[in-house]
Amino acid sequence: MPSATHPQPPKEVWTSQEGSMARETAIIRWPKIVQNMVDDMEESLGQSDNPEQISEGRRIQASLKIIKQEIMQNKPLHPLISDGRPDIESYNAQLESFGSITWHNCPWLFAECYMYRCVQTLFSRSSFWTNYDIFARQKLNAFVASHAAVEELCERYISLTDKSALLDKTDEEAQRLIFYEMTEIALWGNATDLSLLSSLSLDQIHSLQGKKAIHDGQARIVSNGMPEAWDYLKSNRGRRVDIVLDNAGFELFTDLVYALYLLDSGLASALRLHVKSFPWFVSDVLPHDMGVLLSALTDPSLFPGSKHQGVRLLAERLSACHKDGLLSIAEHAFWTTGFDFQEMPVVAPELHDDLLKSTLVILKGDLNYRKLVRDANWPHTVSFKEAIGPLCGRGLKILALRTNKADVCVGLDRETLDRVEAEAPGKAWVRNGKYAVINFSDGV
């Protein structure tokens, strides 16, 4: 029940809202996403010589085509068939609570989670395709395509640490600017254009040019709690930090570099990386994706020999941190449920209690942000703390890093809102990924 401190939030975004990104997603994007799954299956089927596997794969492919048609024809959402996992029961209970809903008239957040969970039942109930990652091909291709940005970031980070800039705790201004720079790299990690950022060298960071680059980059951050996050983290350094990951590929690489920075700078003593248990929202990180990425970094066909020494050195450091337990992977079924994060204390109390032990929980990406604020139709000027409701005041320290790709966005002041609406009108500033938010809550 809502309290005086945490009032009832506005209604969540529905796919029936005319002109909303939710409606555009339901009508255009979801059918395309499912068609991509059909195409991926076709490619994998062509590589199999097992008749039973091919036959079963064809049945899965046919079911995917039915899902696509049901979305396009605005059919009702139906209860999920059990695949042995306990979350199916909660999905079906949530579905029943909404009454009769169709693909074009449903809560966007729940229905999108439901769609990916529905797809997963096809694989988890199979014999030959149980562990198949239908998005693996896309994720690896996206990472390989970003090899130039990977090389650049490796060289820049190795150069920075070689100069021991991270170890000089006496230069607090440099430490602050490095934190800003590294946090922005993690923020914009799903965009491979590192020219948006400064050069990440110690000399540049001290220079007016470097400070200007950081300042200019922050102009696109429409709600920026980075100063508060820095003040908190520098006063609580040397403890565990958790990162709830978003996309694999290049974004995962930037997240790993960010994690390495937090360790090298002493801001964290250990990093726990939270991943999904099964393929989710096309490109989300699965447990094996870290191994795939580290293998790609050491693949001489992608990064040959001495030409890419920085890549090799960074891969070695990441592998060592992983082996020593400084970087660890954690799974929990809650991340792939249809629940928003404000329901975590009740739905997954053991996960909530564990995250309370972390000095900071960093949540990456658009979906995590939508789940933090219940994907509700908040006024853009409402505060982040109000929007996360019961998660505020329970002691959970949260840093949300999100490029704007959906209509919900909070924490703006009136002046900033007027500016971005003039710069990118027609909701473009919350949809095109060129603007972002860094929201911080100190848990009180």
Side-chain angles (χ1 to χ4, degrees):
M1 294 291 292
S3 64
T5 307
H6 304 297
Q8 181 68 47
K11 181 180 171 66
E12 65 267 34
V13 178
W14 279 51
T15 60
S16 53
Q17 291 178 223
E18 291 293 340
S20 68
M21 192 169 180
R23 188 155 186 80
E24 176 187 333
T25 297
I27 294 173
I28 299 174
R29 291 181 61 243
W30 284 345
K32 287 182 178 179
I33 289 170
V34 180
Q35 181 59 48
N36 287 339
M37 299 180 196
V38 172
D39 296 341
D40 180 87
M41 285 295 295
E42 187 65 32
E43 187 167 350
S44 293
L45 287 166
Q47 297 170 354
S48 174
D49 56 4
N50 183 327
E52 291 181 283
Q53 183 185 37
I54 292 172
S55 178
E56 187 177 58
R58 289 294 178 200
R59 291 195 294 272
I60 293 173
Q61 191 181 49
S63 296
L64 290 170
K65 292 177 181 178
I66 291 171
I67 293 172
K68 176 187 173 183
Q69 288 302 314
E70 289 184 344
I71 295 172
M72 295 177 67
Q73 295 169 7
N74 192 26
K75 298 290 187 180
L77 278 67
H78 52 75
L80 296 175
I81 300 172
S82 177
D83 60 1
R85 290 175 180 256
D87 63 327
I88 293 291
E89 185 177 345
S90 63
Y91 263 105
N92 289 338
Q94 282 182 282
L95 178 61
E96 185 178 5
S97 73
F98 292 120
S100 179
I101 56 175
T102 65
W103 286 102
H104 300 173
N105 183 28
C106 57
W108 183 19
L109 181 60
F110 171 78
E112 199 155 25
C113 294
Y114 166 97
M115 182 185 78
Y116 288 97
R117 189 63 184 92
C118 183
V119 168
Q120 178 57 25
T121 65
L122 303 178
F123 294 98
S124 54
R125 290 165 50 231
S126 71
S127 298
F128 295 94
W129 302 84
T130 307
N131 298 315
Y132 184 69
D133 181 357
I134 199 165
F135 306 122
R137 198 172 275 114
Q138 294 182 57
K139 290 188 286 190
L140 182 58
N141 289 344
F143 178 72
V144 171
S146 64
H147 67 90
V150 170
E151 295 163 14
E152 182 183 354
L153 183 52
C154 285
E155 294 295 341
R156 285 158 66 171
Y157 188 76
I158 293 296
S159 173
L160 179 69
T161 53
D162 283 349
K163 294 182 179 181
S164 300
L166 297 180
L167 304 178
D168 183 8
K169 303 299 188 297
T170 62
D171 192 343
E172 186 171 312
E173 175 65 5
Q175 293 294 310
R176 181 181 68 84
L177 290 173
I178 292 169
F179 174 75
Y180 284 12
E181 175 83 355
M182 294 303 303
T183 302
E184 282 197 53
I185 287 174
L187 170 67
W188 300 106
N190 56 357
T192 58
D193 183 8
L194 291 182
S195 65
L196 294 173
L197 304 167
S198 67
S199 69
L200 198 63
S201 71
L202 183 58
D203 293 338
Q204 274 281 34
I205 284 171
H206 273 294
S207 73
L208 292 176
Q209 182 182 353
K211 293 177 182 179
K212 182 180 184 300
I214 293 173
H215 179 269
D216 290 347
Q218 290 179 26
R220 297 185 310 280
I221 303 172
V222 297
S223 177
N224 193 350
M226 197 152 39
E228 292 81 6
W230 164 247
D231 287 341
Y232 165 76
L233 203 52
K234 74 175 182 180
S235 300
N236 294 274
R237 62 173 65 240
R239 292 155 53 192
R240 189 186 101 199
V241 170
D242 288 63
I243 303 179
V244 183
L245 298 171
D246 185 28
N247 296 318
F250 182 73
E251 182 171 351
L252 172 59
F253 174 70
T254 62
D255 290 338
L256 291 174
V257 173
Y258 190 50
L260 190 60
Y261 153 72
L262 292 172
L263 292 169
D264 286 343
S265 65
L267 291 172
S269 59
L271 265 293
R272 182 175 294 176
L273 307 174
H274 296 264
V275 301
K276 308 303 189 300
S277 300
F278 55 79
W280 185 250
F281 278 69
V282 180
S283 55
D284 279 29
V285 180
L286 301 181
H288 67 263
D289 283 325
M290 183 167 173
V292 170
L293 187 146
L294 291 175
S295 294
L297 290 174
T298 56
D299 185 341
S301 67
L302 295 176
F303 304 101
S306 59
K307 181 181 177 183
H308 303 294
Q309 187 177 13
V311 177
R312 180 179 56 78
L313 289 173
L314 200 72
E316 289 174 355
R317 287 164 70 167
L318 288 171
S319 296
C321 287
H322 190 216
K323 182 179 179 181
D324 294 342
L326 298 178
L327 281 175
S328 61
I329 301 291
E331 293 180 64
H332 196 284
F334 178 76
W335 304 122
T336 50
T337 65
F339 295 109
D340 64 64
F341 294 163
Q342 296 185 27
E343 297 171 279
M344 186 195 304
V346 174
V347 175
E350 73 291 349
L351 175 62
H352 181 259
D353 290 346
D354 181 62
L355 293 177
L356 284 173
K357 300 173 185 175
S358 177
T359 189
L360 184 66
V361 181
I362 302 171
L363 294 110
K364 291 291 309 296
D366 200 69
L367 176 62
N368 283 330
Y369 186 86
R370 288 168 58 200
K371 284 198 165 192
L372 276 171
V373 300
R374 305 195 71 170
D375 209 31
N377 286 290
W378 293 104
H380 296 311
T381 53
V382 77
S383 72
F384 179 64
K385 283 190 172 183
E386 180 177 344
I388 64 174
L391 287 178
C392 180
R394 289 178 175 265
L396 199 64
K397 282 72 174 178
I398 295 172
L399 181 64
L401 306 179
R402 178 253 190 160
T403 54
N404 296 349
K405 296 178 183 176
D407 292 349
V408 61
C409 185
V410 301
L412 281 71
D413 58 50
R414 186 74 247 179
E415 181 182 356
T416 300
L417 180 58
D418 290 343
R419 172 176 65 83
V420 296
E421 286 183 338
E423 289 176 357
K427 291 288 186 180
W429 67 274
V430 288
R431 298 179 180 177
N432 61 17
K434 295 181 180 179
Y435 293 83
V437 294
I438 297 178
N439 288 142
F440 174 71
S441 173
D442 59 6
V444 296

